[in-house]
Amino acid sequence: MEVIFLGTGTSQGIPVIGSDHPVCKSNDPRDKRLRVSVLVQCNKNNILVDCGPDFRAQMLTHNISHLDAILYTHEHNDHTAGLDDIRPFFFRQGDIPVFAHERVINSLKKRFEYIFMAENKYPGAPSVGINIIENKVFEFNSLSIIPVNLMHNRVQVFGYRFGDFAYLTDAKTIAPEETTKLKGVKVLVINALRQEQHHSHFSLQDALEFIEEIQPERAYLTHISHTMGFHEEVQAQLPPNVYLAYDNLKITI
Ligand SMILES: [Zn+2]
Ligand SMILES: [Zn+2]
């Protein structure tokens, strides 16, 4: 299995528009972060987790020519705003399967009404195959995927475990019975917004404590704000098996 970090930034991305913050002015490419998304490549499947506002640029950067499914974590705009840009995939492949909690599907239906219309669709509008998921394991193209329920302040979020790999973003609290699903995971991706505490995201310290509890072989931090600091300086302070993810990083599991 290969995982490409398509974006590792928080909702505004880095640089933030108009910001004079030194991290926003950094020349280190690892300090430039698009909105969060990963592409999981397994058994020739390209499975996208979240389809945010930078989706088009992310697909072009990695020369992705087919998309097998989109899994959504939750309905926030930084995770969903790119849906219209599935059009080139739809024209070549037909309906693109999407998997999400029912509440998230309903939110997408409101915001992208023309994509979900059953009749009298405007020519050129893309279509999706709707798959509502609950908090239980599901299969896609003989791949077994385990949803992990997370809380993002009051918003429910799904993280996903694919075999030895788990991707959890926009978490602030995780119930013990959900943590159990992560036992034995080799590579864990978890959100860490910044050094200071936040009402709906893990801080760096929250994330490090969670990694300590789960004990993966390797952990990667994502959904990073410019206020976290320079990539190089933050990375130097992390435990040896913990890495700040950065855009376009590819890992093999
Ligand atoms: Zn969110
Ligand atoms: Zn987010």
Side-chain angles (χ1 to χ4, degrees):
M1 183 186 296
E2 292 226 305
V3 174
I4 307 175
F5 288 88
L6 301 172
T8 58
T10 189
S11 54
Q12 296 186 82
I14 308 177
V16 172
I17 295 171
S19 172
D20 287 329
H21 191 283
V23 172
C24 293
K25 302 241 162 191
S26 167
N27 289 323
D28 184 341
R30 296 169 302 175
D31 285 321
K32 307 211 180 296
R33 301 183 188 275
L34 298 179
R35 271 60 70 88
V36 281
S37 177
V38 286
L39 189 71
V40 178
Q41 301 184 300
C42 186
N43 305 337
K44 297 192 175 158
N45 286 304
N46 276 338
I47 300 176
L48 182 75
V49 184
D50 287 330
C51 185
D54 298 315
F55 169 72
R56 177 175 177 272
Q58 292 162 335
M59 294 297 101
L60 289 171
T61 297
H62 295 280
N63 205 14
I64 305 301
S65 57
H66 79 277
L67 193 58
D68 296 285
I70 303 172
L71 272 52
Y72 283 102
T73 58
H74 65 305
E75 64 272 45
H76 283 165
N77 217 50
D78 52 326
H79 300 255
T80 56
L83 183 57
D84 186 74
D85 281 324
I86 62 168
R87 292 172 71 224
F89 296 109
F90 166 73
F91 294 147
R92 284 195 293 266
Q93 301 171 217
D95 294 10
I96 304 298
V98 298
F99 292 78
H101 190 285
E102 187 172 20
R103 182 198 77 245
V104 175
I105 296 287
N106 289 337
S107 170
L108 293 173
K109 280 182 179 173
K110 273 190 212 152
R111 290 150 65 202
F112 298 94
E113 189 189 7
Y114 63 97
I115 293 179
F116 291 85
M117 279 165 71
E119 289 171 9
N120 207 13
K121 250 183 130 147
Y122 191 79
S127 291
V128 294
I130 300 171
N131 300 275
I132 291 173
I133 54 174
E134 293 171 10
N135 190 14
K136 55 186 184 198
V137 63
F138 62 97
E139 305 282 324
F140 175 71
N141 285 359
S142 70
L143 195 66
S144 194
I145 303 170
I146 305 170
V148 181
N149 210 51
L150 315 169
M151 291 307 292
H152 178 36
N153 195 335
R154 279 169 299 175
V155 176
Q156 179 275 346
V157 176
F158 277 141
Y160 297 102
R161 179 172 181 170
F162 313 75
D164 290 332
F165 171 71
Y167 180 78
L168 314 182
T169 191
D170 293 56
K172 179 61 185 177
T173 50
I174 308 176
E177 63 272 23
E178 298 300 310
T179 305
T180 309
K181 295 177 179 173
L182 300 168
K183 252 202 182 114
V185 82
K186 288 189 180 149
V187 178
L188 173 71
V189 179
I190 183 75
N191 60 303
L193 185 74
R194 62 187 190 190
Q195 313 273 348
E196 282 171 33
Q197 287 293 315
H198 186 266
H199 68 93
S200 66
H201 281 279
F202 271 179
S203 65
L204 178 58
Q205 191 191 336
D206 294 336
L208 292 176
E209 285 170 9
F210 185 69
I211 292 163
E212 194 57 36
E213 184 187 342
I214 304 299
Q215 294 279 325
E217 287 176 11
R218 284 178 285 158
Y220 294 86
L221 307 177
T222 193
H223 212 295
I224 295 161
S225 158
H226 62 289
T227 57
M228 177 71 95
F230 291 106
H231 183 99
E232 195 164 334
E233 290 178 8
V234 177
Q235 179 61 58
Q237 292 163 12
L238 296 177
N241 64 332
V242 180
Y243 306 89
L244 273 193
Y246 53 88
D247 287 19
N248 308 323
L249 171 66
K250 283 186 198 178
I251 58 173
T252 304
I253 294 116

